Amino acid sequence: MNSHSSFERPDHEVTIVGGGFGGLCMALQLMRAGRPDFILLEQAQEVGGTWRDNQYPGCACDVPSHLYSFSFEPEWDWSRMYANHAEIQAYLVRCSHKQGLREKIWFGCALAEARFDEAQDLWQVRTSDGRAFSTRVLVSAMGPLSRPAIPQLPGLESFAGKVFHSARWDHSFEPRGQRVAVIGTGASAIQFVPRLQASAEQLLLFQRTPAWVLPKPDRPFTPAELDRLRRIPGWRRLFRWMIYWRQEFTGLGFLAAPSLMARAQSLATRFLKKHIKDPALRARLLPDYTMGCKRILLSNDYYPALAQPNVQVHAMDALQGVTARGLLIEGREVPVDAIVFGTGFRTTDLLTPLRLIGRGGVDLNEVWARDGLGAHNGVCVAGFPNLFLLLGPNTGLGHNSAVFMIETQARYVLKALDRLRARGASAVEVRPQAQQAFAQEMDRRTRGTVWKSGCRSWYLDARGRNVTLWPGFTFSYWWRLLRLKTTEFRWSRLGQPQR
Ligand code: NAP
């Protein structure tokens, strides 16, 4: 615990929570900036975050890997356009070995509670393994996709077979010859359903809302391409930028040019028709909302798998409950051996179950439960000084690489740290007016976009507000965070009035 003599110096200048893309980016940027006084708390025994946790068969990224990686730790030898989870995880582990980072990571240690100590302008932190220390700055890099959501199906607890979520895949489960039920048809399910279909005796897929699915332009790199990427750093950079701008161009359809979305929608419809010949199944798989309202999925093998005779696609409404031996579907008991949930994550209770207590003993989860998720620029929350969120509210993307957003945010945090030092300040806190203006801007910019076109999606909260997505191009986010507008913040120094 911090002793009284360390009144001015916390145990650690910066504490990062989470060792996925966000936490590793922040840590590497701190090292590069010559600020080694930090620790990183990682609740698991390895880094990687979502890429460590998601090991389901077929798990891969739907953003090209040369872009879905750190610009400052480029990798030339991705085996294919869209790397699988094992390759991405290996990349992140390699990154964690750079610059002596590993020694700064406390593995098996989760943040339990952090309380802002107003008398000292620092955070008092308690961890899950009973440690306590102080830190000037807290950076939360707990990704939004870390807490699996499992629907409460009546009778689920009585089921005698295997039950698991895609992000907690049970590798002891051998689907060969088994009858498997899959709940959910989102980004994860469309990747593992073809794998299950290939070996299961029977696959029952329960769909609440069909997704728009486009072909995935995936392929392995040829040896000549890999050689060129290895030998010519300039080509590597150019290749990355070409991917970036191509992805950014697709953002036009979401934001500014609905005709582009209409074109993509007719491509997806033709893709569906090509693979699904049964008109009833085709009708069931055809979405009735505008493309882009929910995440657009990329897959070459999902529709072909659903067309196989061992697959049945049911509407979720048909599933009435679970028995010890199977499922109750429209009044009939259908035996199954396993139930796999591809039902996504609890994205709107971002920080649960940990407690972040800001000024005046206010709990951030309570603030967000009352007012809805919100953070200035997705990074800073009024009432919570010296706290920075990576991939916080309104910084998710539907069209480009989340790693780009993370890097932009990590640079912004570094700017705040530089300003703190330059001003001799002990705390920085966003002004409530700035945060409110940002929230209003998010509402205004989301109005009229495809995300508000009427579908149910986890992009919107219970009040129908977009609290997850950045409703703009990623370069506009980069531009916004390029400078830290000091007037949007209160800078305080212990013992002196706030400025
Ligand atoms: P998801 O895309 O949110 O899909 C969840 C699926 O489960 C949806 O079909 C949803 O139906 C259904 N569902 C949710 N709650 C349900 C309930 N109570 N009853 C019945 N069905 C329910 O989740 P995910 O597939 O795990 O993916 C989550 C996110 O991870 C993605 O959006 C993406 O950002 C990321 N991801 C990325 C990649 C990648 O390649 N980069 C791969 C996988 C995942 P509704 O549509 O009706 O809600």
Side-chain angles (χ1 to χ4, degrees), residues 157-216:
E157 62 297 336
S158 67
F159 182 63
K162 293 259 186 198
V163 180
F164 52 89
H165 186 276
S166 55
R168 304 283 183 273
W169 197 266
D170 182 342
H171 292 284
S172 70
F173 174 62
E174 171 49 67
R176 193 158 299 282
Q178 303 278 300
R179 294 159 302 186
V180 186
V182 172
I183 320 283
T185 53
S188 303
I190 68 148
Q191 295 185 334
F192 67 75
V193 158
R195 304 301 176 100
L196 284 180
Q197 177 278 322
S199 49
E201 179 187 309
Q202 194 186 23
L203 193 146
L204 305 178
L205 179 61
F206 291 87
Q207 168 185 270
R208 192 164 66 175
T209 319
W212 283 107
V213 180
L214 282 170
K216 188 172 187 179

Short mmCIF file of all heavy atoms in Angstrom, two decimals, residues 157-216:
data_model
loop_
_atom_site.label_atom_id
_atom_site.label_comp_id
_atom_site.label_asym_id
_atom_site.label_seq_id
_atom_site.Cartn_x
_atom_site.Cartn_y
_atom_site.Cartn_z
N GLU A 157 -30.61 -25.63 -17.44
CA GLU A 157 -29.80 -26.23 -16.37
C GLU A 157 -30.02 -27.74 -16.26
O GLU A 157 -29.19 -28.47 -15.71
CB GLU A 157 -30.04 -25.52 -15.02
CG GLU A 157 -31.44 -25.56 -14.44
CD GLU A 157 -32.53 -24.87 -15.30
OE1 GLU A 157 -32.20 -23.98 -16.10
OE2 GLU A 157 -33.70 -25.25 -15.17
N SER A 158 -31.14 -28.24 -16.82
CA SER A 158 -31.42 -29.67 -16.70
C SER A 158 -30.77 -30.49 -17.83
O SER A 158 -30.77 -31.71 -17.79
CB SER A 158 -32.94 -29.91 -16.74
OG SER A 158 -33.43 -29.58 -18.04
N PHE A 159 -30.20 -29.81 -18.82
CA PHE A 159 -29.67 -30.51 -19.99
C PHE A 159 -28.44 -31.35 -19.60
O PHE A 159 -27.52 -30.86 -18.93
CB PHE A 159 -29.30 -29.49 -21.07
CG PHE A 159 -28.79 -30.10 -22.34
CD1 PHE A 159 -29.60 -30.93 -23.10
CD2 PHE A 159 -27.49 -29.87 -22.77
CE1 PHE A 159 -29.14 -31.51 -24.27
CE2 PHE A 159 -27.01 -30.43 -23.94
CZ PHE A 159 -27.84 -31.26 -24.69
N ALA A 160 -28.42 -32.62 -20.04
CA ALA A 160 -27.36 -33.53 -19.60
C ALA A 160 -26.15 -33.52 -20.53
O ALA A 160 -25.08 -34.02 -20.17
CB ALA A 160 -27.93 -34.96 -19.51
N GLY A 161 -26.30 -32.94 -21.72
CA GLY A 161 -25.19 -32.95 -22.67
C GLY A 161 -24.24 -31.77 -22.46
O GLY A 161 -24.29 -31.09 -21.44
N LYS A 162 -23.38 -31.55 -23.46
CA LYS A 162 -22.40 -30.45 -23.37
C LYS A 162 -23.08 -29.13 -23.70
O LYS A 162 -23.90 -29.06 -24.62
CB LYS A 162 -21.31 -30.65 -24.41
CG LYS A 162 -20.42 -31.85 -24.15
CD LYS A 162 -19.12 -31.42 -23.55
CE LYS A 162 -18.15 -32.59 -23.43
NZ LYS A 162 -17.07 -32.31 -22.49
N VAL A 163 -22.71 -28.10 -22.95
CA VAL A 163 -23.22 -26.75 -23.23
C VAL A 163 -22.04 -25.79 -23.14
O VAL A 163 -21.33 -25.79 -22.13
CB VAL A 163 -24.25 -26.30 -22.16
CG1 VAL A 163 -24.75 -24.89 -22.48
CG2 VAL A 163 -25.41 -27.26 -22.09
N PHE A 164 -21.81 -25.03 -24.15
CA PHE A 164 -20.75 -24.02 -24.04
C PHE A 164 -20.98 -22.86 -25.02
O PHE A 164 -21.76 -22.97 -25.96
CB PHE A 164 -19.35 -24.62 -24.22
CG PHE A 164 -19.18 -25.45 -25.47
CD1 PHE A 164 -18.76 -24.85 -26.66
CD2 PHE A 164 -19.42 -26.80 -25.48
CE1 PHE A 164 -18.59 -25.60 -27.82
CE2 PHE A 164 -19.26 -27.57 -26.63
CZ PHE A 164 -18.84 -26.97 -27.80
N HIS A 165 -20.26 -21.76 -24.74
CA HIS A 165 -20.33 -20.54 -25.55
C HIS A 165 -19.14 -20.55 -26.51
O HIS A 165 -18.08 -21.09 -26.17
CB HIS A 165 -20.28 -19.33 -24.62
CG HIS A 165 -20.48 -18.01 -25.32
ND1 HIS A 165 -19.45 -17.33 -25.94
CD2 HIS A 165 -21.58 -17.24 -25.49
CE1 HIS A 165 -19.92 -16.20 -26.46
NE2 HIS A 165 -21.21 -16.12 -26.20
N SER A 166 -19.32 -19.89 -27.66
CA SER A 166 -18.24 -19.90 -28.65
C SER A 166 -16.92 -19.36 -28.11
O SER A 166 -15.85 -19.79 -28.52
CB SER A 166 -18.67 -19.09 -29.89
OG SER A 166 -19.05 -17.78 -29.51
N ALA A 167 -17.00 -18.40 -27.17
CA ALA A 167 -15.76 -17.82 -26.64
C ALA A 167 -15.17 -18.68 -25.52
O ALA A 167 -14.13 -18.32 -24.96
CB ALA A 167 -16.04 -16.40 -26.12
N ARG A 168 -15.81 -19.76 -25.18
CA ARG A 168 -15.28 -20.70 -24.16
C ARG A 168 -15.41 -22.10 -24.75
O ARG A 168 -16.00 -22.98 -24.15
CB ARG A 168 -16.10 -20.61 -22.84
CG ARG A 168 -16.18 -19.23 -22.23
CD ARG A 168 -14.87 -18.85 -21.51
NE ARG A 168 -14.99 -17.53 -20.87
CZ ARG A 168 -14.72 -16.39 -21.50
NH1 ARG A 168 -14.32 -16.38 -22.77
NH2 ARG A 168 -14.83 -15.23 -20.86
N TRP A 169 -14.86 -22.27 -25.93
CA TRP A 169 -15.06 -23.53 -26.67
C TRP A 169 -14.57 -24.73 -25.87
O TRP A 169 -13.48 -24.67 -25.28
CB TRP A 169 -14.32 -23.47 -28.01
CG TRP A 169 -14.81 -24.51 -28.96
CD1 TRP A 169 -14.29 -25.76 -29.15
CD2 TRP A 169 -15.94 -24.41 -29.82
NE1 TRP A 169 -15.03 -26.44 -30.08
CE2 TRP A 169 -16.05 -25.63 -30.51
CE3 TRP A 169 -16.88 -23.41 -30.08
CZ2 TRP A 169 -17.05 -25.88 -31.45
CZ3 TRP A 169 -17.87 -23.66 -31.00
CH2 TRP A 169 -17.95 -24.87 -31.67
N ASP A 170 -15.36 -25.77 -25.83
CA ASP A 170 -14.98 -26.99 -25.09
C ASP A 170 -14.25 -27.90 -26.08
O ASP A 170 -14.87 -28.58 -26.89
CB ASP A 170 -16.25 -27.66 -24.56
CG ASP A 170 -15.92 -28.91 -23.74
OD1 ASP A 170 -14.79 -29.42 -23.87
OD2 ASP A 170 -16.80 -29.35 -22.98
N HIS A 171 -12.92 -27.89 -25.99
CA HIS A 171 -12.13 -28.66 -26.96
C HIS A 171 -12.22 -30.16 -26.71
O HIS A 171 -11.74 -30.95 -27.53
CB HIS A 171 -10.69 -28.18 -26.97
CG HIS A 171 -10.56 -26.78 -27.53
ND1 HIS A 171 -10.63 -26.52 -28.88
CD2 HIS A 171 -10.42 -25.58 -26.92
CE1 HIS A 171 -10.52 -25.21 -29.09
NE2 HIS A 171 -10.39 -24.62 -27.91
N SER A 172 -12.81 -30.55 -25.58
CA SER A 172 -12.98 -31.99 -25.35
C SER A 172 -14.20 -32.51 -26.13
O SER A 172 -14.43 -33.71 -26.21
CB SER A 172 -13.15 -32.28 -23.85
OG SER A 172 -14.43 -31.81 -23.43
N PHE A 173 -14.97 -31.58 -26.68
CA PHE A 173 -16.16 -31.99 -27.42
C PHE A 173 -15.78 -32.41 -28.84
O PHE A 173 -15.17 -31.63 -29.58
CB PHE A 173 -17.17 -30.82 -27.45
CG PHE A 173 -18.36 -31.11 -28.32
CD1 PHE A 173 -19.21 -32.17 -28.02
CD2 PHE A 173 -18.63 -30.34 -29.45
CE1 PHE A 173 -20.31 -32.45 -28.84
CE2 PHE A 173 -19.72 -30.61 -30.26
CZ PHE A 173 -20.56 -31.68 -29.94
N GLU A 174 -16.13 -33.63 -29.19
CA GLU A 174 -15.85 -34.17 -30.53
C GLU A 174 -17.19 -34.24 -31.27
O GLU A 174 -18.02 -35.11 -30.98
CB GLU A 174 -15.20 -35.55 -30.38
CG GLU A 174 -15.05 -36.33 -31.67
CD GLU A 174 -14.43 -35.51 -32.81
OE1 GLU A 174 -13.25 -35.15 -32.72
OE2 GLU A 174 -15.16 -35.23 -33.78
N PRO A 175 -17.42 -33.34 -32.22
CA PRO A 175 -18.75 -33.27 -32.85
C PRO A 175 -19.07 -34.45 -33.79
O PRO A 175 -20.23 -34.62 -34.17
CB PRO A 175 -18.73 -31.96 -33.64
CG PRO A 175 -17.30 -31.63 -33.81
CD PRO A 175 -16.53 -32.28 -32.70
N ARG A 176 -18.01 -35.23 -34.14
CA ARG A 176 -18.25 -36.30 -35.12
C ARG A 176 -19.39 -37.21 -34.66
O ARG A 176 -19.39 -37.72 -33.55
CB ARG A 176 -16.97 -37.12 -35.30
CG ARG A 176 -16.98 -38.05 -36.50
CD ARG A 176 -15.56 -38.40 -36.91
NE ARG A 176 -14.79 -37.21 -37.30
CZ ARG A 176 -14.89 -36.58 -38.46
NH1 ARG A 176 -15.74 -37.01 -39.38
NH2 ARG A 176 -14.16 -35.51 -38.71
N GLY A 177 -20.38 -37.34 -35.52
CA GLY A 177 -21.50 -38.25 -35.24
C GLY A 177 -22.47 -37.73 -34.19
O GLY A 177 -23.36 -38.46 -33.76
N GLN A 178 -22.32 -36.48 -33.78
CA GLN A 178 -23.18 -35.94 -32.72
C GLN A 178 -24.30 -35.08 -33.32
O GLN A 178 -24.19 -34.56 -34.43
CB GLN A 178 -22.36 -35.06 -31.77
CG GLN A 178 -21.19 -35.78 -31.13
CD GLN A 178 -21.60 -36.60 -29.93
OE1 GLN A 178 -22.13 -36.07 -28.97
NE2 GLN A 178 -21.38 -37.91 -30.00
N ARG A 179 -25.35 -34.92 -32.49
CA ARG A 179 -26.43 -34.00 -32.87
C ARG A 179 -26.19 -32.70 -32.10
O ARG A 179 -26.19 -32.70 -30.86
CB ARG A 179 -27.79 -34.60 -32.49
CG ARG A 179 -28.13 -35.86 -33.28
CD ARG A 179 -29.15 -36.69 -32.59
NE ARG A 179 -28.69 -37.08 -31.26
CZ ARG A 179 -29.33 -37.91 -30.44
NH1 ARG A 179 -30.48 -38.44 -30.81
NH2 ARG A 179 -28.85 -38.22 -29.26
N VAL A 180 -25.97 -31.64 -32.84
CA VAL A 180 -25.54 -30.38 -32.20
C VAL A 180 -26.56 -29.28 -32.48
O VAL A 180 -26.99 -29.11 -33.63
CB VAL A 180 -24.17 -29.93 -32.74
CG1 VAL A 180 -23.66 -28.73 -31.97
CG2 VAL A 180 -23.17 -31.07 -32.69
N ALA A 181 -26.92 -28.56 -31.43
CA ALA A 181 -27.77 -27.37 -31.61
C ALA A 181 -26.88 -26.14 -31.48
O ALA A 181 -26.04 -26.07 -30.58
CB ALA A 181 -28.87 -27.35 -30.56
N VAL A 182 -27.07 -25.19 -32.38
CA VAL A 182 -26.33 -23.92 -32.30
C VAL A 182 -27.36 -22.80 -32.17
O VAL A 182 -28.31 -22.72 -32.95
CB VAL A 182 -25.46 -23.69 -33.55
CG1 VAL A 182 -24.86 -22.30 -33.54
CG2 VAL A 182 -24.36 -24.74 -33.64
N ILE A 183 -27.15 -21.94 -31.18
CA ILE A 183 -28.04 -20.80 -31.00
C ILE A 183 -27.27 -19.55 -31.43
O ILE A 183 -26.18 -19.30 -30.91
CB ILE A 183 -28.45 -20.62 -29.52
CG1 ILE A 183 -28.73 -21.95 -28.82
CG2 ILE A 183 -29.59 -19.61 -29.37
CD1 ILE A 183 -30.03 -22.59 -29.14
N GLY A 184 -27.84 -18.80 -32.35
CA GLY A 184 -27.19 -17.56 -32.78
C GLY A 184 -26.59 -17.72 -34.17
O GLY A 184 -26.10 -18.80 -34.54
N THR A 185 -26.65 -16.64 -34.94
CA THR A 185 -26.14 -16.67 -36.32
C THR A 185 -25.35 -15.39 -36.60
O THR A 185 -25.52 -14.75 -37.63
CB THR A 185 -27.30 -16.80 -37.33
OG1 THR A 185 -28.26 -15.76 -37.05
CG2 THR A 185 -28.00 -18.13 -37.24
N GLY A 186 -24.49 -15.01 -35.63
CA GLY A 186 -23.71 -13.79 -35.78
C GLY A 186 -22.32 -14.07 -36.32
O GLY A 186 -22.05 -15.12 -36.92
N ALA A 187 -21.42 -13.10 -36.06
CA ALA A 187 -20.07 -13.15 -36.65
C ALA A 187 -19.30 -14.40 -36.25
O ALA A 187 -18.52 -14.93 -37.05
CB ALA A 187 -19.30 -11.90 -36.21
N SER A 188 -19.49 -14.88 -35.02
CA SER A 188 -18.76 -16.08 -34.60
C SER A 188 -19.43 -17.32 -35.17
O SER A 188 -18.77 -18.21 -35.71
CB SER A 188 -18.73 -16.17 -33.07
OG SER A 188 -18.16 -15.02 -32.51
N ALA A 189 -20.76 -17.40 -35.03
CA ALA A 189 -21.47 -18.62 -35.47
C ALA A 189 -21.21 -18.91 -36.94
O ALA A 189 -20.98 -20.07 -37.31
CB ALA A 189 -22.97 -18.48 -35.21
N ILE A 190 -21.19 -17.88 -37.78
CA ILE A 190 -21.03 -18.20 -39.21
C ILE A 190 -19.63 -18.76 -39.49
O ILE A 190 -19.40 -19.37 -40.52
CB ILE A 190 -21.33 -17.03 -40.16
CG1 ILE A 190 -20.30 -15.93 -40.03
CG2 ILE A 190 -22.73 -16.52 -40.05
CD1 ILE A 190 -20.13 -15.26 -41.38
N GLN A 191 -18.72 -18.56 -38.54
CA GLN A 191 -17.39 -19.15 -38.73
C GLN A 191 -17.32 -20.59 -38.24
O GLN A 191 -16.64 -21.42 -38.84
CB GLN A 191 -16.33 -18.29 -38.02
CG GLN A 191 -16.21 -16.90 -38.64
CD GLN A 191 -15.11 -16.06 -38.05
OE1 GLN A 191 -14.70 -16.23 -36.90
NE2 GLN A 191 -14.60 -15.12 -38.82
N PHE A 192 -18.02 -20.90 -37.12
CA PHE A 192 -17.88 -22.28 -36.63
C PHE A 192 -18.97 -23.23 -37.14
O PHE A 192 -18.77 -24.45 -37.15
CB PHE A 192 -17.76 -22.34 -35.10
CG PHE A 192 -18.96 -21.94 -34.30
CD1 PHE A 192 -20.07 -22.78 -34.18
CD2 PHE A 192 -18.97 -20.74 -33.61
CE1 PHE A 192 -21.16 -22.42 -33.42
CE2 PHE A 192 -20.07 -20.37 -32.84
CZ PHE A 192 -21.17 -21.22 -32.75
N VAL A 193 -20.09 -22.69 -37.61
CA VAL A 193 -21.16 -23.57 -38.12
C VAL A 193 -20.67 -24.47 -39.27
O VAL A 193 -20.91 -25.68 -39.25
CB VAL A 193 -22.41 -22.74 -38.50
CG1 VAL A 193 -23.30 -23.48 -39.49
CG2 VAL A 193 -23.20 -22.40 -37.24
N PRO A 194 -19.94 -23.94 -40.27
CA PRO A 194 -19.47 -24.84 -41.34
C PRO A 194 -18.58 -25.96 -40.81
O PRO A 194 -18.62 -27.08 -41.31
CB PRO A 194 -18.69 -23.90 -42.27
CG PRO A 194 -19.26 -22.55 -42.01
CD PRO A 194 -19.60 -22.53 -40.56
N ARG A 195 -17.77 -25.66 -39.78
CA ARG A 195 -16.88 -26.70 -39.22
C ARG A 195 -17.70 -27.76 -38.51
O ARG A 195 -17.44 -28.95 -38.64
CB ARG A 195 -15.88 -26.08 -38.23
CG ARG A 195 -15.04 -24.99 -38.81
CD ARG A 195 -14.24 -25.49 -40.02
NE ARG A 195 -13.50 -24.43 -40.64
CZ ARG A 195 -12.21 -24.20 -40.43
NH1 ARG A 195 -11.51 -25.00 -39.64
NH2 ARG A 195 -11.61 -23.20 -41.05
N LEU A 196 -18.70 -27.34 -37.74
CA LEU A 196 -19.54 -28.31 -37.03
C LEU A 196 -20.32 -29.15 -38.05
O LEU A 196 -20.43 -30.36 -37.92
CB LEU A 196 -20.50 -27.60 -36.08
CG LEU A 196 -19.92 -27.05 -34.79
CD1 LEU A 196 -21.01 -26.37 -33.97
CD2 LEU A 196 -19.28 -28.16 -33.96
N GLN A 197 -20.86 -28.45 -39.05
CA GLN A 197 -21.69 -29.15 -40.05
C GLN A 197 -20.89 -30.28 -40.72
O GLN A 197 -21.42 -31.36 -40.98
CB GLN A 197 -22.19 -28.13 -41.09
CG GLN A 197 -23.00 -28.71 -42.23
CD GLN A 197 -22.13 -29.29 -43.34
OE1 GLN A 197 -21.08 -28.73 -43.65
NE2 GLN A 197 -22.54 -30.42 -43.89
N ALA A 198 -19.61 -30.00 -40.95
CA ALA A 198 -18.80 -30.98 -41.69
C ALA A 198 -18.66 -32.29 -40.94
O ALA A 198 -18.47 -33.34 -41.55
CB ALA A 198 -17.44 -30.38 -41.99
N SER A 199 -18.72 -32.26 -39.60
CA SER A 199 -18.51 -33.53 -38.89
C SER A 199 -19.73 -33.99 -38.09
O SER A 199 -19.84 -35.19 -37.81
CB SER A 199 -17.28 -33.44 -37.99
OG SER A 199 -17.34 -32.28 -37.21
N ALA A 200 -20.62 -33.08 -37.75
CA ALA A 200 -21.76 -33.50 -36.92
C ALA A 200 -22.72 -34.38 -37.74
O ALA A 200 -22.80 -34.26 -38.96
CB ALA A 200 -22.50 -32.28 -36.40
N GLU A 201 -23.44 -35.23 -37.00
CA GLU A 201 -24.45 -36.02 -37.68
C GLU A 201 -25.61 -35.11 -38.10
O GLU A 201 -26.12 -35.17 -39.19
CB GLU A 201 -24.95 -37.13 -36.76
CG GLU A 201 -26.03 -38.00 -37.39
CD GLU A 201 -26.61 -38.96 -36.37
OE1 GLU A 201 -25.82 -39.66 -35.71
OE2 GLU A 201 -27.85 -38.98 -36.21
N GLN A 202 -25.97 -34.24 -37.15
CA GLN A 202 -27.08 -33.33 -37.43
C GLN A 202 -26.79 -31.99 -36.76
O GLN A 202 -26.25 -31.95 -35.64
CB GLN A 202 -28.37 -33.92 -36.86
CG GLN A 202 -29.59 -33.22 -37.41
CD GLN A 202 -30.86 -33.70 -36.75
OE1 GLN A 202 -30.83 -34.21 -35.63
NE2 GLN A 202 -31.96 -33.53 -37.43
N LEU A 203 -27.12 -30.92 -37.45
CA LEU A 203 -26.92 -29.60 -36.87
C LEU A 203 -28.23 -28.83 -36.91
O LEU A 203 -28.82 -28.66 -37.99
CB LEU A 203 -25.83 -28.85 -37.65
CG LEU A 203 -25.30 -27.60 -36.96
CD1 LEU A 203 -23.83 -27.42 -37.27
CD2 LEU A 203 -26.04 -26.36 -37.36
N LEU A 204 -28.71 -28.42 -35.74
CA LEU A 204 -29.93 -27.62 -35.67
C LEU A 204 -29.50 -26.19 -35.35
O LEU A 204 -28.92 -25.93 -34.31
CB LEU A 204 -30.84 -28.12 -34.54
CG LEU A 204 -31.23 -29.60 -34.56
CD1 LEU A 204 -32.10 -29.94 -33.36
CD2 LEU A 204 -31.98 -29.91 -35.84
N LEU A 205 -29.78 -25.29 -36.29
CA LEU A 205 -29.34 -23.90 -36.11
C LEU A 205 -30.54 -23.03 -35.79
O LEU A 205 -31.54 -23.04 -36.52
CB LEU A 205 -28.66 -23.42 -37.41
CG LEU A 205 -28.16 -21.99 -37.42
CD1 LEU A 205 -27.09 -21.75 -36.34
CD2 LEU A 205 -27.56 -21.65 -38.80
N PHE A 206 -30.43 -22.27 -34.70
CA PHE A 206 -31.54 -21.39 -34.29
C PHE A 206 -31.16 -19.95 -34.56
O PHE A 206 -30.18 -19.43 -34.03
CB PHE A 206 -31.88 -21.63 -32.81
CG PHE A 206 -32.50 -22.97 -32.61
CD1 PHE A 206 -31.70 -24.09 -32.41
CD2 PHE A 206 -33.87 -23.13 -32.70
CE1 PHE A 206 -32.26 -25.34 -32.28
CE2 PHE A 206 -34.44 -24.39 -32.56
CZ PHE A 206 -33.63 -25.50 -32.36
N GLN A 207 -31.98 -19.34 -35.40
CA GLN A 207 -31.68 -17.99 -35.87
C GLN A 207 -32.76 -17.03 -35.38
O GLN A 207 -33.95 -17.28 -35.55
CB GLN A 207 -31.68 -18.04 -37.40
CG GLN A 207 -31.68 -16.70 -38.08
CD GLN A 207 -31.80 -16.84 -39.58
OE1 GLN A 207 -30.81 -16.94 -40.28
NE2 GLN A 207 -33.02 -16.83 -40.08
N ARG A 208 -32.30 -15.94 -34.74
CA ARG A 208 -33.28 -14.92 -34.35
C ARG A 208 -33.43 -13.91 -35.50
O ARG A 208 -34.54 -13.57 -35.88
CB ARG A 208 -32.82 -14.22 -33.06
CG ARG A 208 -33.89 -13.36 -32.45
CD ARG A 208 -33.58 -13.00 -31.03
NE ARG A 208 -32.40 -12.14 -30.89
CZ ARG A 208 -32.01 -11.64 -29.74
NH1 ARG A 208 -32.65 -11.91 -28.62
NH2 ARG A 208 -30.93 -10.87 -29.68
N THR A 209 -32.31 -13.48 -36.03
CA THR A 209 -32.35 -12.52 -37.14
C THR A 209 -31.32 -12.96 -38.18
O THR A 209 -30.16 -13.16 -37.82
CB THR A 209 -31.95 -11.10 -36.66
OG1 THR A 209 -32.54 -10.86 -35.39
CG2 THR A 209 -32.37 -10.04 -37.65
N PRO A 210 -31.71 -13.11 -39.42
CA PRO A 210 -30.69 -13.47 -40.42
C PRO A 210 -29.73 -12.30 -40.64
O PRO A 210 -30.11 -11.14 -40.48
CB PRO A 210 -31.51 -13.76 -41.68
CG PRO A 210 -32.83 -13.12 -41.48
CD PRO A 210 -33.05 -12.94 -40.01
N ALA A 211 -28.50 -12.63 -40.99
CA ALA A 211 -27.50 -11.59 -41.24
C ALA A 211 -27.30 -11.43 -42.74
O ALA A 211 -27.52 -12.37 -43.51
CB ALA A 211 -26.18 -12.01 -40.60
N TRP A 212 -26.88 -10.25 -43.14
CA TRP A 212 -26.42 -10.06 -44.52
C TRP A 212 -25.02 -10.65 -44.61
O TRP A 212 -24.15 -10.31 -43.80
CB TRP A 212 -26.40 -8.58 -44.88
CG TRP A 212 -27.75 -8.00 -45.17
CD1 TRP A 212 -28.45 -7.15 -44.38
CD2 TRP A 212 -28.56 -8.24 -46.33
NE1 TRP A 212 -29.66 -6.84 -44.97
CE2 TRP A 212 -29.75 -7.50 -46.17
CE3 TRP A 212 -28.40 -9.00 -47.48
CZ2 TRP A 212 -30.76 -7.49 -47.12
CZ3 TRP A 212 -29.41 -9.00 -48.43
CH2 TRP A 212 -30.57 -8.25 -48.25
N VAL A 213 -24.84 -11.54 -45.58
CA VAL A 213 -23.55 -12.23 -45.71
C VAL A 213 -22.96 -11.93 -47.08
O VAL A 213 -23.66 -12.06 -48.10
CB VAL A 213 -23.73 -13.75 -45.54
CG1 VAL A 213 -22.38 -14.47 -45.67
CG2 VAL A 213 -24.38 -14.08 -44.21
N LEU A 214 -21.71 -11.53 -47.10
CA LEU A 214 -21.00 -11.27 -48.36
C LEU A 214 -19.83 -12.25 -48.50
O LEU A 214 -19.32 -12.76 -47.50
CB LEU A 214 -20.44 -9.84 -48.36
CG LEU A 214 -21.44 -8.72 -48.64
CD1 LEU A 214 -20.82 -7.36 -48.36
CD2 LEU A 214 -21.92 -8.78 -50.10
N PRO A 215 -19.40 -12.51 -49.73
CA PRO A 215 -18.23 -13.37 -49.89
C PRO A 215 -17.01 -12.76 -49.21
O PRO A 215 -16.88 -11.53 -49.16
CB PRO A 215 -18.02 -13.42 -51.41
CG PRO A 215 -19.20 -12.78 -52.03
CD PRO A 215 -19.94 -12.01 -51.00
N LYS A 216 -16.14 -13.60 -48.69
CA LYS A 216 -14.94 -13.11 -48.01
C LYS A 216 -13.76 -13.21 -48.98
O LYS A 216 -13.42 -14.31 -49.43
CB LYS A 216 -14.67 -13.97 -46.78
CG LYS A 216 -13.58 -13.46 -45.87
CD LYS A 216 -13.52 -14.28 -44.58
CE LYS A 216 -12.54 -13.68 -43.59
NZ LYS A 216 -12.47 -14.41 -42.33
#
